[in-house]
Amino acid sequence: MSFESPWWLLALLVVPAALGLFLLLRRRGPRFVVPFPNVDVLAQVRSPRDSWRTAVALALGALSAVALVVAVARPHVTMRVPDEQATVILVVDTSRSMLAEDVRPSRLEAAKAAAQRFLERVPDRLRVAVVTFSGDAHVTALPTKDHERVRRSVAAIDPFASFGGGTAIGDALARAVEVGRQALAGEGEVAGGRAAVTPADREGLVSILFLSDGRQNRGILPPLEGARLAREAAFPVYTVALGTRRGAGAGGFGSGGFGGRSRAPDPATLRAIAEATGGEFTEARTAETLSAAYESLGSRLGRVARRTEVTVAFVAAGAVALLAAALAGAWWSPRLP
């Protein structure tokens, strides 16, 4: 927490001084003895409970004073808030191995369901794009705030569109970086008359959520070369390795598939991509794990750290504490029977 006018915090020294003075005056004995013949009435007016009641009222008053002094100092906190310019690019592997059924109902269908859950959690103002890849990478949805359009694009991913196309991880990363750069430059559908973002301002504005179930066997760029492009653009890549270690048939139809070879994910490469770009790596062996990972990322991505003033919160806290102290004093004040 930081303060715009920190010198006002010196006023906090008055609070313990006032409490100390009050306690000191209470410890002093009475200067004059006043005769009071009716001891029973006096006992009802002055009960042992007065001590803790006074302590509660004092604590509430002190809390109110502290909160109001802090409010005058204009406190600020750094919070992660949705950014109007933020973009998340969903990159989904659609190679033949995604038809494997070790993740039910299939790897690809589990990925599509998780992407839909992700779209339910992201801020409405967040731009989302979709890139699908196998041997080649294709943009199926440009960055847009129209999440319904993105949902339709995800639902329309055809499990047979890239049948036998291989897996080009590096090329897919390069394509996602290109889409992210275009988003920051305000090109195409994301144009809105805003100024282009400078490289120094890019951090946190574009994130890449990359899901794959295999290892690179096609394409031009090696995976870590694609990661280098993302790192240079300041685009963190959040990678998800989908599938079990034993894998499933390469064709994905049952445990045998067409290809006869086991196609397990390549967690080492995907972890290296995440670490190189400042993202996170997740290993998803079930549809539930995958969905939970996408939900968590949906609540975090597209947000940037921003210094926000919270003076109103301290004013409200001080007012509530002051009101509570006043009500407690009125309720517990001694009354003659």
Side-chain angles (χ1 to χ4, degrees):
M1 182 181 294
S2 59
F3 300 90
E4 191 164 321
S5 304
W7 54 86
W8 279 104
L9 296 178
L10 294 174
L12 291 175
L13 298 175
V14 176
V15 177
L19 289 175
L21 180 61
F22 176 82
L23 294 175
L24 179 64
L25 293 176
R26 280 180 61 89
R27 287 178 176 271
R28 294 179 57 187
R31 297 180 60 183
F32 303 100
V33 177
V34 179
F36 199 91
N38 197 334
V39 179
D40 293 334
V41 172
L42 182 61
Q44 293 182 45
V45 173
R46 179 68 176 176
S47 68
R49 292 181 297 177
D50 285 346
S51 296
W52 70 263
R53 287 175 173 176
T54 301
V56 170
L58 281 175
L60 289 172
L63 179 62
S64 173
V66 169
L68 293 176
V69 168
V70 172
V72 173
R74 300 188 65 181
H76 290 73
V77 297
T78 300
M79 303 173 62
R80 297 195 66 84
V81 296
D83 191 278
E84 289 283 355
Q85 296 177 319
T87 300
V88 172
I89 304 168
L90 298 177
V91 185
V92 181
D93 186 347
T94 59
S95 58
R96 192 176 80 174
S97 59
M98 287 290 286
L99 300 178
E101 297 174 356
D102 56 337
V103 178
R104 298 289 181 178
S106 72
R107 293 177 179 181
L108 184 57
E109 290 303 319
K112 290 167 65 175
Q116 300 289 7
R117 295 291 296 272
F118 172 85
L119 291 169
E120 294 174 1
R121 296 297 302 273
V122 298
D124 293 338
R125 295 177 292 177
L126 179 70
R127 291 181 172 87
V128 182
V130 179
V131 174
T132 60
F133 75 98
S134 54
D136 301 300
H138 305 278
V139 180
T140 59
L142 290 171
T144 176
K145 294 180 182 180
D146 186 351
H147 295 174
E148 185 58 37
R149 183 187 302 179
V150 180
R151 290 189 183 94
R152 292 195 299 268
S153 177
V154 170
I157 294 176
D158 186 354
F160 298 102
S162 303
F163 199 75
T167 305
I169 293 176
D171 291 356
L173 282 172
R175 189 71 181 95
V177 170
E178 181 182 347
V179 172
R181 290 183 182 277
Q182 291 172 351
L184 292 181
E187 296 180 19
E189 190 174 334
V190 297
R194 58 185 173 85
V197 180
T198 63
D201 299 327
R202 288 177 179 171
E203 187 174 355
L205 289 184
V206 175
S207 304
I208 299 173
L209 179 49
F210 191 97
L211 181 143
S212 179
D213 73 333
R215 60 193 68 243
Q216 173 135 331
N217 53 24
R218 288 283 298 274
I220 299 173
L221 284 180
L224 292 184
E225 184 65 18
R228 182 187 64 81
L229 295 176
R231 182 179 66 249
E232 290 177 352
F235 299 165
V237 182
Y238 297 79
T239 56
V240 179
L242 178 61
T244 60
R245 291 296 178 91
R246 61 180 176 81
F253 290 93
S255 60
F258 287 134
R261 292 180 56 192
S262 176
R263 180 59 62 85
D266 184 8
T269 297
L270 295 180
R271 185 189 297 274
I273 291 170
E275 291 176 350
T277 60
E280 297 176 8
F281 167 75
T282 302
E283 195 166 6
R285 301 182 184 180
T286 65
E288 291 75 18
T289 304
L290 176 63
S291 183
Y294 267 58
E295 274 196 78
S296 174
L297 290 170
S299 63
R300 293 188 287 129
L301 297 187
R303 291 170 166 81
V304 295
R306 184 170 296 164
R307 189 166 176 261
T308 305
E309 186 172 351
V310 290
T311 299
V312 174
F314 280 91
V315 170
V320 169
L322 184 61
L323 178 61
L327 292 175
W331 182 260
W332 290 333
S333 60
R335 296 177 178 84
L336 292 175

